[in-house]
Amino acid sequence: MSPQSSLASKDSIKVGIIGLSIGSGVRFVPPWAYVAHYPALAKIPEKYQISSILNSTLSSAEAAVNNLSLNTTKPFDSLDKFAQYESNDLVTVSVRVPLHKQLLLPNIESNKNIFSEWPLGASTNEAESILKLVKEKDLKTVIGLQKRKAPAILKIKELISSNKIGRITSVSLSAVSELGGPTRAESLSSYIFESKNGANFFTIPFGHTLDGLLYAVGKKVKSVKANVLTLYKEQQLVDLDSKLVGKVVSKDTVDHISIAGLLTDNTPITIEFRGGSSSRVGNRNLHVEIHGTKGDILYESDSAFSELAPIDLSYSYEGSDGVVKFDNGKDYNATVDNVLGLYESYYEYKDTQGSRQGFEKDGFPTFEDSVILHRLLDRIVESSNTGKEIDVKDIYEF
Amino acid sequence: MSPQSSLASKDSIKVGIIGLSIGSGVRFVPPWAYVAHYPALAKIPEKYQISSILNSTLSSAEAAVNNLSLNTTKPFDSLDKFAQYESNDLVTVSVRVPLHKQLLLPNIESNKNIFSEWPLGASTNEAESILKLVKEKDLKTVIGLQKRKAPAILKIKELISSNKIGRITSVSLSAVSELGGPTRAESLSSYIFESKNGANFFTIPFGHTLDGLLYAVGKKVKSVKANVLTLYKEQQLVDLDSKLVGKVVSKDTVDHISIAGLLTDNTPITIEFRGGSSSRVGNRNLHVEIHGTKGDILYESDSAFSELAPIDLSYSYEGSDGVVKFDNGKDYNATVDNVLGLYESYYEYKDTQGSRQGFEKDGFPTFEDSVILHRLLDRIVESSNTGKEIDVKDIYEF
């Protein structure tokens, strides 16, 4: 069933997507909009119609329209015309981060509500400037921090907010991702290994994971002491079989984050987020423990990119039936369904206006939530660079 | 077989022990000398004879002599006479830490070599002052950092020094101990919950564990950023069945240590050492991972007091037979045999003089090693108190 099915109602939201291409070729890595946004929207055709697609070429936009049988979707290659297209209620941008601002500006000017992939900007300044513009226009925004919609994260939030594990006494996160390791799949673009682009080991797997964890715990960060390191300044290219191809490429993005932090109420949080191969022994690629006075929570994943991989949650508390393993649901597809959760929530709250989600269970993260995370990441780097504990209490203020 | 067996040779070392009592009573907690030093020495009667025992009362010393059938051991209650007893080559002190200095002074004055339990002093100043005295007298010293003699730790040291896991890229330690949790066994003395005594959660389980880890890795610490917290300022007393007895006692010792540190060569080290009950889900009470460019090491234990509990070591590296589980040996008794390792090594090197072990595989840790650890612990607290990254490179200088 395509989003253009007969289920579309007058209430449905018309979404224009920037960056929904279908691509081709042996080494083709399908874009995120194709992997996540399109299938998410296709699941709720009664709520969303894809009204338009803007790609860098008209042929690419037309190919997507034709290939996906989006019969009522208008293809664009002109940003200005796309921005002025009256059928777009909401504009989703899912392209390289440094392009976000220039692509969003005309759409903001045209009073479109915006769903932007995380990170919002290639820098915090850029994200703040985008936020300022949407606030001036009083637009609704969604930021693609979709881990907040993972069923396991929502379950943890429920366990904690209902006091099942009592007062939280410690939070720890350890993770490893090959993105920051000694080798690089040759199919990967160098884009995510150049820090100026803002989309990298630090902002993406670490940023999503930190956001999801803090959201689940429901506590603001008070201060951080951190080491943010670049241990690998070069990577060896490997082929699809992980064999070295004999080529070394440079990398200036960080690959190791170690944090001793405090949440509000002085709850300690300890983080090791490292680059490298999956460990042959020891914890899985993502391992998070949350301990409370009455219970304990463990969540794990095979991927540090836990915003798009299934999370295995287990917990136990005073009065629970031993150790409970949470069921994500047999049809759960983390890649699609977390993004789906954002669209569902945006639809549910389409007639109300909120500047940020914060730690609320309902609703969806906004550009304000995005800027908070941008600021937090900056403070973590600042602690590393200055050798000082950095107070972050003010990142929540606008 | 008692240490006074016929195996004793002219070469055997005569050791006088301060604090070897046998005690009695329902709530009696046998002293460390009885639990570890005595059985360790009893295993190598050809190398050591217990020449004397100094306790606070003569009856206690006599009871130990009689109960343990130490027929040639002289009981003392006079420190001065004990210190002047010519048959003591080596004096082992295993009593409350604040008593170390006053008990050691006359023995140092009498040119006895000294084996002191860790921590050496109730403060770094005290430890430094003891070190100064033994150096002036050119005495040999052993500090009871016996985790360095755990077979698993020595195996890790071998794996790392022989480059089996390649260049080390990260080190992480997480541990939990009830000593720093919300409850306290009523059998435990308040002594270890009063920071002025210097023997507590921070110095003992954390200190031993940190020392063993750094020794295994074989790298000095370069800098630390730390949070050292006291989350529980009170504890509820519990009985032998872990039932609350309805009494609350105060506690001023720390119970949570979170560190983002760097070893030499900027190898990152991340630590969470927390107080609380064993987790119902998640890692075991001690969980250490060491990752290298060619392999990974995991060591775990059911106790954060890993200096006296068995360590389960597993590792895997390029060319290893999958994941290898290290065999501690079927007769291995961590409590006794780690201390035994110190005595064995002291015997082996009794005719040579070394000021410190450092990270050498052979030999035994000395008061200089002890002072290095005292200084490191102080710097960790300093980082927490000042909110600054603390450079610790100079702690190794004398």
Side-chain angles (χ1 to χ4, degrees):
Chain A
M1 187 183 294
S2 95
Q4 268 63 32
S5 85
S6 57
L7 286 174
S9 73
K10 278 187 300 181
D11 279 350
S12 72
I13 294 170
K14 292 169 196 69
V15 54
I17 303 182
I18 307 177
L20 174 53
S21 57
I22 53 169
S24 63
V26 177
R27 291 195 189 164
F28 175 70
V29 178
W32 181 244
Y34 178 76
V35 169
H37 287 266
Y38 168 72
L41 290 166
K43 282 190 170 186
I44 44 174
E46 72 284 9
K47 295 177 182 170
Y48 287 91
Q49 280 187 280
I50 298 177
S51 46
S52 62
I53 292 173
L54 170 66
N55 284 349
S56 52
T57 65
L58 192 61
S59 61
S60 163
E62 285 172 344
V65 164
N66 293 332
N67 187 287
L68 302 173
S69 304
L70 300 171
N71 305 323
T72 62
T73 302
K74 189 168 169 64
F76 285 94
D77 66 348
S78 160
L79 172 60
D80 286 337
K81 288 178 183 161
F82 174 86
Q84 286 153 26
Y85 187 49
E86 291 198 353
S87 290
N88 292 342
D89 303 319
L90 173 70
V91 167
T92 289
V93 61
S94 179
V95 297
R96 293 191 173 196
V97 174
L99 301 174
H100 280 184
K101 187 172 178 179
Q102 66 193 80
L103 292 171
L104 290 180
L105 283 183
N107 288 288
I108 293 169
E109 194 57 40
S110 302
N111 294 302
K112 305 297 184 190
N113 294 321
I114 313 281
F115 183 151
S116 171
E117 263 307 321
W118 164 259
L120 179 56
S123 68
T124 301
N125 273 346
E126 202 167 84
E128 300 254 15
S129 70
I130 296 170
L131 175 64
K132 184 164 177 284
L133 294 170
V134 298
K135 283 197 168 182
E136 284 168 4
K137 290 283 194 173
D138 217 17
L139 303 177
K140 297 184 70 176
T141 58
V142 186
I143 189 72
L145 289 168
Q146 72 271 19
K147 192 171 174 180
R148 294 178 177 221
K149 293 300 179 187
I153 293 293
L154 289 166
K155 179 64 187 180
I156 296 165
K157 194 164 188 60
E158 177 198 313
L159 289 168
I160 291 172
S161 60
S162 63
N163 202 36
K164 287 286 191 298
I165 68 160
R167 182 172 57 78
I168 297 178
T169 53
S170 75
V171 177
S172 66
L173 154 65
S174 69
V176 59
S177 166
E178 289 196 336
L179 199 66
T183 60
R184 180 193 304 179
E186 59 181 339
S187 60
L188 287 176
S189 163
S190 61
Y191 157 70
I192 51 173
F193 301 98
E194 294 166 2
S195 59
K196 67 174 195 275
N197 297 321
N200 51 58
F201 181 90
F202 188 55
T203 57
I204 297 183
F206 176 68
H208 275 287
T209 300
L210 181 62
D211 183 72
L213 174 57
L214 294 172
Y215 176 70
V217 168
K219 287 180 188 281
K220 292 178 179 175
V221 180
K222 182 184 167 195
S223 66
V224 290
K225 296 173 177 175
N227 284 323
V228 180
L229 309 169
T230 302
L231 298 175
Y232 297 102
K233 293 185 171 57
E234 292 181 335
Q235 293 178 313
Q236 305 240 30
L237 289 187
V238 292
D239 63 18
L240 291 173
D241 299 321
S242 299
K243 290 274 194 312
L244 295 178
V245 301
K247 192 173 171 194
V248 171
V249 285
S250 64
K251 160 179 159 305
D252 76 346
T253 47
V254 307
D255 49 34
H256 194 102
I257 303 127
S258 172
I259 302 179
L262 294 175
L263 306 181
T264 45
D265 312 330
N266 285 332
T267 306
I269 179 169
T270 307
I271 295 174
E272 185 200 48
F273 208 98
R274 65 190 181 85
S277 304
S278 303
S279 184
R280 296 164 177 87
V281 291
N283 289 336
R284 289 168 66 186
N285 290 348
L286 180 80
H287 181 102
V288 180
E289 296 193 20
I290 302 168
H291 302 290
T293 51
K294 299 195 294 182
D296 305 282
I297 292 170
L298 166 70
Y299 69 90
E300 302 170 290
S301 177
D302 287 336
S303 173
F305 286 79
S306 56
E307 71 278 13
L308 51 85
I311 294 167
D312 295 321
L313 164 64
S314 52
Y315 56 89
S316 182
Y317 54 81
E318 287 175 13
S320 73
D321 188 13
V323 172
V324 180
K325 290 191 183 299
F326 177 71
D327 182 3
N328 284 310
K330 72 178 167 57
D331 295 328
Y332 175 63
N333 175 324
T335 300
V336 174
D337 292 345
N338 294 348
V339 171
L340 172 63
L342 294 178
Y343 280 111
E344 286 275 23
S345 183
Y346 181 82
Y347 184 85
E348 185 181 354
Y349 291 93
K350 66 187 162 66
D351 298 324
T352 58
Q353 186 80 12
S355 63
R356 80 169 93 162
Q357 182 180 31
F359 300 132
E360 290 301 311
K361 184 152 189 175
D362 291 334
F364 48 87
T366 68
F367 285 10
E368 215 173 274
D369 295 291
S370 162
V371 166
I372 289 168
L373 183 57
H374 268 293
R375 291 171 175 176
L376 176 57
L377 295 178
D378 279 0
R379 300 296 173 91
I380 290 168
V381 172
E382 184 186 350
S383 171
S384 185
N385 289 345
T386 61
K388 288 182 182 160
E389 175 173 34
I390 302 295
D391 189 313
V392 299
K393 292 194 293 289
D394 62 326
I395 64 172
Y396 303 94
E397 289 163 21
F398 287 90
Chain B
M1 187 184 293
S2 95
Q4 268 63 32
S5 85
S6 57
L7 286 174
S9 72
K10 278 187 299 183
D11 278 350
S12 71
I13 293 169
K14 292 168 196 69
V15 54
I17 302 181
I18 307 177
L20 174 53
S21 57
I22 52 169
S24 63
V26 177
R27 290 194 188 164
F28 175 71
V29 179
W32 181 244
Y34 178 76
V35 169
H37 287 266
Y38 168 72
L41 290 166
K43 282 189 170 186
I44 44 173
E46 72 285 9
K47 295 177 182 168
Y48 286 91
Q49 280 187 280
I50 298 177
S51 46
S52 62
I53 293 173
L54 170 66
N55 283 350
S56 52
T57 65
L58 192 62
S59 62
S60 163
E62 285 172 344
V65 164
N66 294 332
N67 187 287
L68 302 173
S69 303
L70 300 172
N71 305 323
T72 62
T73 302
K74 190 168 168 65
F76 285 94
D77 66 349
S78 160
L79 171 60
D80 286 338
K81 287 179 184 161
F82 174 85
Q84 286 153 26
Y85 187 50
E86 291 199 352
S87 291
N88 292 343
D89 303 320
L90 174 69
V91 167
T92 289
V93 61
S94 179
V95 297
R96 293 189 173 197
V97 175
L99 300 174
H100 280 184
K101 187 171 179 181
Q102 66 193 80
L103 292 171
L104 290 180
L105 283 183
N107 288 288
I108 293 168
E109 194 56 40
S110 302
N111 294 302
K112 305 298 184 189
N113 294 321
I114 313 282
F115 184 151
S116 171
E117 264 307 322
W118 165 260
L120 179 56
S123 68
T124 301
N125 273 347
E126 202 167 82
E128 300 255 15
S129 70
I130 296 170
L131 175 64
K132 185 164 177 285
L133 294 171
V134 298
K135 283 196 167 181
E136 284 167 5
K137 290 283 194 172
D138 217 16
L139 303 177
K140 297 183 70 175
T141 58
V142 186
I143 189 73
L145 289 168
Q146 72 271 18
K147 192 171 174 181
R148 294 177 178 222
K149 293 300 179 187
I153 292 292
L154 289 166
K155 179 65 186 180
I156 295 165
K157 194 164 188 60
E158 177 199 314
L159 290 168
I160 291 172
S161 60
S162 63
N163 202 35
K164 287 286 191 299
I165 67 160
R167 182 172 58 78
I168 297 178
T169 53
S170 75
V171 177
S172 66
L173 155 65
S174 69
V176 60
S177 167
E178 290 196 335
L179 200 65
T183 60
R184 180 193 304 180
E186 59 181 338
S187 60
L188 287 176
S189 163
S190 61
Y191 157 70
I192 51 174
F193 301 98
E194 294 166 1
S195 60
K196 68 174 194 275
N197 297 321
N200 51 57
F201 181 89
F202 188 55
T203 57
I204 298 182
F206 176 68
H208 275 287
T209 300
L210 181 62
D211 183 72
L213 173 57
L214 294 172
Y215 176 71
V217 169
K219 287 179 188 280
K220 292 178 179 175
V221 179
K222 182 183 166 194
S223 66
V224 290
K225 296 172 177 175
N227 284 323
V228 180
L229 309 169
T230 302
L231 298 176
Y232 297 102
K233 293 185 171 58
E234 292 181 334
Q235 293 178 313
Q236 305 240 32
L237 290 187
V238 292
D239 63 18
L240 292 172
D241 299 322
S242 299
K243 290 273 194 313
L244 295 178
V245 301
K247 193 173 171 194
V248 171
V249 285
S250 65
K251 160 179 159 305
D252 76 346
T253 47
V254 306
D255 49 34
H256 194 102
I257 303 127
S258 172
I259 301 179
L262 294 175
L263 306 181
T264 45
D265 312 332
N266 285 332
T267 306
I269 179 168
T270 307
I271 295 174
E272 184 201 48
F273 208 97
R274 65 190 181 85
S277 304
S278 303
S279 183
R280 296 164 177 88
V281 291
N283 288 337
R284 288 169 66 187
N285 289 348
L286 180 80
H287 181 102
V288 180
E289 296 192 21
I290 302 168
H291 302 290
T293 52
K294 298 196 294 182
D296 305 282
I297 292 170
L298 166 69
Y299 70 90
E300 302 170 289
S301 177
D302 287 336
S303 173
F305 286 79
S306 56
E307 71 278 13
L308 51 84
I311 294 167
D312 295 321
L313 164 64
S314 52
Y315 56 90
S316 183
Y317 54 82
E318 287 175 12
S320 73
D321 188 13
V323 172
V324 180
K325 290 191 183 298
F326 178 71
D327 182 3
N328 284 310
K330 72 178 167 58
D331 295 328
Y332 175 63
N333 175 324
T335 300
V336 174
D337 292 345
N338 294 348
V339 171
L340 172 63
L342 294 178
Y343 279 111
E344 287 275 23
S345 183
Y346 181 82
Y347 184 85
E348 185 181 353
Y349 291 93
K350 66 188 161 67
D351 298 324
T352 58
Q353 186 79 12
S355 63
R356 80 168 93 161
Q357 182 181 30
F359 300 131
E360 290 301 312
K361 184 153 188 174
D362 291 333
F364 48 87
T366 69
F367 285 10
E368 215 173 274
D369 295 292
S370 162
V371 167
I372 289 168
L373 184 57
H374 269 293
R375 290 172 176 175
L376 177 56
L377 295 178
D378 279 0
R379 300 295 173 91
I380 290 168
V381 172
E382 185 185 350
S383 172
S384 184
N385 290 345
T386 62
K388 288 183 182 160
E389 175 173 34
I390 302 296
D391 189 313
V392 299
K393 291 195 293 288
D394 62 326
I395 65 171
Y396 304 94
E397 289 162 21
F398 287 90

